[in-house]
């Protein structure tokens, strides 16, 4: 039972354009949603998060949008840079889930110069 | 440098052997977790801890043991290694239980069981 799903294993965009990474979830008890970025042979690095009481959170080039009714969130990267090429993981947690994060499968983003 | 330190970085075990993956953090975080990453499956939670002396099972706990005697250390023990435990293991810590402000991950241990 995959509670957090990232349906696109890969995404390729041109430098300077927008990258949109998508994530769907099924568990309505999730209250917090996070995005992580992972380079090969390194641990995941926290990017940005959003609480379920918000529908948008912005940090520099990164914006996360949350649509609770659709149980869908997306990460927008504008403008995309070659250094953004990495695997992006969506994760979710809840007030009652202790310190447990549930991760999606990941999306490999490639930004072409 | 402050952060989460995992050792070793690489390990090859024979089936049936046991070993301990070490994890230490120097940020005084209460919340620590172990994940394994397998191709196409994201990261799956093995065990987690909400403070010294308190641990609980995650999604895939079978074949692994943990203990948390200090705030800083959270070792993961493989009792009798099996090829299905070939994976990359990540330890993470946070001061927030929900991870809203981010979990800090170690650089991982790549384990191969032959």
């Amino acid at each position: 039972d995959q509670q957090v799903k990232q349906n696109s294993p890969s995404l390729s965009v041109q430098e300077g354009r927008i990258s949109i990474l998508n994530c769907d979830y099924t568990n309505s008890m999730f209250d917090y949603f996070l995005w992580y970025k992972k380079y090969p042979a390194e641990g995941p690095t926290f990017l940005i998060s959003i609480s379920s009481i918000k529908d948008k959170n912005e940090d520099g080039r990164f914006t996360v949008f949350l649509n609770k009714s659709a149980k869908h969130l997306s990460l927008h990267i504008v403008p995309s840079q070659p250094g953004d090429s990495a695997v992006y993981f969506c994760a979710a947690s809840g007030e009652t889930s202790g310190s447990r994060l549930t991760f999606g499968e990941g999306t490999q983003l490639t930004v072409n110069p | 440098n402050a952060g989460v330190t995992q050792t070793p970085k690489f390990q090859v075990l024979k089936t049936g052997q046991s070993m301990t993956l070490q994890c230490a953090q120097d940020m005084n975080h209460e919340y620590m977790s172990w994940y394994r990453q397998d191709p196409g499956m994201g990261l799956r939670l093995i065990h987690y801890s909400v403070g010294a002396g308190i641990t609980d099972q995650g999604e895939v706990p079978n074949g692994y043991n943990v203990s948390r005697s200090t705030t800083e250390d959270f070792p993961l023990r493989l009792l009798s290694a099996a090829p299905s435990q070939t994976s990359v293991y990540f330890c993470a810590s946070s001061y927030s239980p929900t991870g809203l402000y981010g979990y800090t991950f170690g650089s991982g241990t790549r384990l191969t069981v032959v």
Side-chain angles (χ1 to χ4, degrees):
Chain A
D1 175 23
Q2 189 74 15
Q3 297 186 61
V4 178
K5 284 196 68 64
Q6 295 175 254
N7 290 314
S8 298
S10 62
L11 174 68
S12 183
V13 300
Q14 287 299 119
E15 181 178 6
R17 306 295 290 267
I18 184 171
S19 296
I20 301 177
L21 296 99
N22 293 303
C23 178
D24 296 295
Y25 63 97
T26 58
N27 190 339
S28 58
M29 299 299 289
F30 288 142
D31 299 299
Y32 306 99
F33 304 90
L34 302 88
W35 284 94
Y36 281 84
K37 174 180 177 179
K38 185 182 181 305
Y39 292 118
E42 294 185 10
T45 302
F46 172 69
L47 261 182
I48 191 169
S49 64
I50 189 168
S51 163
S52 60
I53 63 173
K54 294 186 173 183
D55 55 18
K56 176 182 174 181
N57 190 26
E58 195 170 352
D59 184 1
R61 296 186 298 115
F62 302 92
T63 303
V64 57
F65 295 92
L66 175 63
N67 183 333
K68 282 193 67 178
S69 60
K71 294 190 174 66
H72 176 83
L73 63 154
S74 60
L75 175 68
H76 293 210
I77 305 173
V78 184
S80 301
Q81 300 173 353
D84 295 330
S85 297
V87 177
Y88 288 78
F89 290 101
C90 169
S93 69
E95 288 287 356
T96 59
S97 62
S99 60
R100 291 169 287 176
L101 290 180
T102 300
F103 282 84
E105 306 92 326
T107 297
Q108 171 70 58
L109 173 66
T110 302
V111 180
N112 301 302
Chain B
N1 291 336
V4 177
T5 302
Q6 290 185 239
T7 56
K9 291 192 181 304
F10 301 94
Q11 183 71 48
V12 178
L13 285 180
K14 293 183 178 179
T15 297
Q17 286 185 317
S18 63
M19 79 160 293
T20 300
L21 280 63
Q22 302 291 345
C23 175
Q25 53 93 6
D26 58 3
M27 297 171 284
N28 202 32
H29 287 169
E30 289 295 322
Y31 304 94
M32 296 187 74
S33 309
W34 276 101
Y35 293 85
R36 58 177 289 174
Q37 184 192 7
D38 301 295
M41 301 187 74
L43 284 82
R44 292 182 293 168
L45 181 65
I46 305 171
H47 285 285
Y48 65 100
S49 170
V50 299
I54 308 170
T55 64
D56 205 346
Q57 297 181 352
E59 182 185 354
V60 288
N62 292 339
Y64 308 95
N65 264 358
V66 291
S67 60
R68 182 101 179 267
S69 56
T70 67
T71 298
E72 294 77 21
D73 300 299
F74 191 40
L76 178 72
R77 280 181 287 278
L78 279 70
L79 310 173
S80 177
S84 61
Q85 293 178 305
T86 293
S87 187
V88 182
Y89 291 84
F90 291 101
C91 179
S93 75
S94 174
Y95 67 87
S96 164
T98 61
L100 184 61
Y101 305 105
Y103 269 78
T104 301
F105 281 79
S107 58
T109 295
R110 184 175 294 274
L111 176 68
T112 302
V113 182
V114 298

